[in-house]
Amino acid sequence: MDRRIVPCLNRGLALHQWPVTPLAFTLWSFVASIFAGVIGSLLGLGGGIVVIPVLTLLLGVPIRYAIGASIVCIIATSSGAAAGYVRERMTNLRVAMLLEIGTTSGAISGAVIAGLISPRWLFIIFGLVLGYSALAMFRKRHETAAESVPPDRMSDRFKLHGSYFDEALGREISYRVTRAPLGLVLMYVAGVVSGLLGIGSGALKVPAMDLGMRLPIKVSTATSNFMIGVTGAASAGVYFSRGEINPFIAAPVAAGVLLGAWAGSHLLGRLQGKWIRMLFVVVLLWVSAQMLWKGYFWK
Amino acid sequence: MSDPDSTLTPAERDHRVRQVELLISRLLRIGVLTSLFIIVLGMVLSFTHHLGYRESADELKRLTSDDAEFPHTIPDVWQGLVRFQGRAVVMLGLLALIATPVMRVAVSIFAFIYERDPKFVVITSLVLALLLLSFLLGKVE
């Protein structure tokens, strides 16, 4: 959230101006987190776009605790949905592991070069990139699975191709993966950006797998869901030792997100790919607008 | 692990992959349910130790203020656990939750060994090494 907006909204409509007891706080954040878990697990995002505004704007939590809670939210989204996604072969574990090399090395580079690059232009550039990805994903909304993809030696060598059972279509869907080297490069960039800006890791990963590597949309979101958990866990230790994971705030978030993600993982199979894609486009446009906003008002 | 392609037929390999998927799925469910149970237990403890949490709005300000007190090192968590403090129990559950994805990567290394897939044994080990590196770099800062 923009630093200049948070305080004025806090003064205006914040729920915490009214006498909120710790019990009420726990219940409110628990309910909001269930929603965050459903959205995050369906779309392969961390759920921070729901949890951070609810905690800061509605419940008046300091931003650093909200960010700490959103890291817990990412891991809970990933772990809560993972059991279901692995069993139904929705997650492509081989693609995830290969790409995770790009993401983690990118995140390390991002942390090292942080401070050398002004986040302002990164926000603007990636706001535009995400906006463009949203358009590209919207254009192929009627496509269920890629009919034919360009052959790719790396995908063949690492046996990345796969299949999953699509409950909405009622049949097994086989798919071939392509442009694995491009995917690795994009994941490195996604890692650098999330290392530098602290947001948008899932929002960059899903379009890279969907548009670049031509994975089915459900496999893209489930695979991203796995990856964000792994990367999130690596950075969670830092937030813990800095004292930014406040147990009183993170507990209802973790519990709610775990339940929501569990429900979302059962929903993904049944929903049509088209609807997942449309929902993702809407969220992507929102994240893109947020990044452009932050870049424009950067001080 | 030597001469990987000749030791397993494709059918055997598929069978092993499926076995591993079901095992990982079960481990994940156990890990998640355990951490959820510990977190909820910690919350219940907090609320029963501090009855004021149910009516006092000032308590909330204290709990969420910038200088709120809670354990954020492993020894702190341990000391709180010995005294059966709700917030320390919650922290233990959160740490268990944080550990699940890392454990999953570690288990996957063994899974790929079992599937006779040396390329992915190397890739997964590299990912685990990078994760530990980023964890250490974060600590240094």
Side-chain angles (χ1 to χ4, degrees):
Chain A
M1 279 289 123
D2 188 80
R3 284 166 297 175
R4 295 195 302 183
I5 293 176
V6 173
C8 78
L9 278 175
N10 268 355
R11 256 177 274 124
L13 49 84
L15 201 64
H16 70 285
Q17 293 280 299
W18 315 328
V20 178
T21 64
L23 183 61
F25 176 91
T26 302
L27 294 176
W28 275 107
S29 46
F30 176 73
V31 170
S33 301
I34 294 178
F35 179 67
V38 173
I39 295 289
S41 59
L42 285 180
L43 300 184
L45 307 171
I49 46 163
V50 177
V51 164
I52 293 181
V54 167
L55 287 179
T56 53
L57 299 183
L58 285 176
L59 296 168
V61 167
I63 184 77
R64 62 194 206 101
Y65 292 153
I67 291 172
S70 84
I71 278 285
V72 170
C73 175
I74 291 172
I75 298 164
T77 307
S78 180
S79 299
Y85 287 164
V86 171
R87 203 185 47 243
E88 291 167 24
R89 275 173 293 123
M90 214 74 97
T91 310
N92 188 325
L93 190 65
R94 304 167 77 85
V95 168
M97 282 301 174
L98 185 64
L99 295 183
E100 198 60 46
I101 293 179
T103 318
T104 39
S105 53
I108 293 172
S109 325
V112 171
I113 61 169
L116 297 179
I117 299 175
S118 157
R120 173 174 205 166
W121 294 104
L122 282 173
F123 273 124
I124 290 178
I125 291 167
F126 282 94
L128 293 173
V129 169
L130 289 186
Y132 174 78
S133 311
L135 272 177
M137 285 181 77
F138 180 75
R139 275 210 302 265
K140 53 177 282 199
R141 64 193 175 281
H142 297 299
E143 202 177 289
T144 40
E147 304 296 315
S148 65
V149 297
D152 176 40
R153 274 183 49 209
M154 192 173 183
S155 305
D156 294 341
R157 275 193 58 196
F158 288 101
K159 301 194 190 85
L160 298 182
H161 317 294
S163 70
Y164 74 100
F165 184 77
D166 194 308
E167 261 187 281
L169 300 172
R171 61 188 164 95
E172 188 82 9
I173 303 285
S174 295
Y175 57 90
R176 295 185 66 77
V177 180
T178 188
R179 300 195 204 102
L182 173 73
L184 259 178
V185 172
L186 289 176
M187 289 303 152
Y188 178 80
V189 175
V192 173
V193 171
S194 54
L196 282 175
L197 305 183
I199 60 162
S201 58
L204 285 163
K205 286 187 182 98
V206 176
M209 284 187 263
D210 178 63
L211 299 169
M213 299 173 72
R214 308 300 295 273
L215 293 167
I217 183 72
K218 293 182 185 180
V219 178
S220 302
T221 61
T223 304
S224 166
N225 175 272
F226 167 70
M227 294 175 63
I228 56 172
V230 173
T231 329
S235 51
V238 182
Y239 290 87
F240 168 71
S241 54
R242 277 198 220 136
E244 288 172 6
I245 297 181
N246 181 328
F248 183 77
I249 299 164
V253 169
V257 170
L258 282 174
L259 285 180
W262 174 79
S265 72
H266 287 267
L267 211 59
L268 181 68
R270 286 179 213 152
L271 288 174
Q272 281 186 21
K274 189 173 70 177
W275 293 112
I276 301 291
R277 200 183 288 276
M278 291 305 286
L279 192 59
F280 193 87
V281 167
V282 172
V283 173
L284 207 52
L285 284 174
W286 168 250
V287 177
S288 154
Q290 222 181 17
M291 287 179 110
L292 289 173
W293 176 272
K294 279 191 188 177
Y296 187 74
F297 288 105
W298 190 264
K299 276 204 286 191
Chain B
M1 253 182 71
S2 61
D3 198 11
D5 292 324
S6 61
T7 45
L8 286 182
T9 65
E12 274 177 325
R13 183 179 163 264
D14 285 351
H15 176 66
R16 287 195 169 192
V17 169
R18 192 62 195 147
Q19 274 182 310
V20 164
E21 279 168 352
L22 292 176
L23 176 72
I24 291 182
S25 172
R26 211 165 300 149
L27 284 177
L28 280 167
R29 178 157 311 129
I30 294 169
V32 165
L33 286 177
T34 309
S35 37
L36 182 62
F37 175 78
I38 301 173
I39 292 168
V40 173
L41 177 73
M43 271 160 55
V44 171
L45 278 178
S46 298
F47 278 100
T48 45
H49 286 172
H50 308 272
L51 293 174
Y53 284 7
R54 276 178 294 172
E55 51 250 359
S56 161
D58 291 336
E59 286 287 326
L60 181 66
K61 289 214 178 74
R62 192 175 58 76
L63 285 165
T64 60
S65 76
D66 249 324
D67 49 356
E69 257 181 57
F70 53 84
H72 60 89
T73 63
I74 302 286
D76 282 356
V77 174
W78 177 246
Q79 280 176 2
L81 283 176
V82 174
R83 279 178 285 146
F84 223 49
Q85 248 178 8
R87 52 180 182 242
V89 176
V90 167
M91 258 330 187
L92 179 71
L94 292 175
L95 289 175
L97 184 65
I98 291 169
T100 18
V102 184
M103 288 300 292
R104 188 175 167 195
V105 175
V107 169
S108 301
I109 298 177
F110 293 102
F112 285 124
I113 292 175
Y114 182 64
E115 292 170 18
R116 309 276 168 91
D117 197 335
K119 271 184 215 136
F120 271 87
V121 173
V122 174
I123 287 173
T124 312
S125 310
L126 186 60
V127 169
L128 190 64
L130 284 169
L131 286 177
L132 294 178
L133 177 66
S134 70
F135 189 78
L136 290 177
L137 281 177
K139 270 270 194 272
V140 170
E141 259 178 57

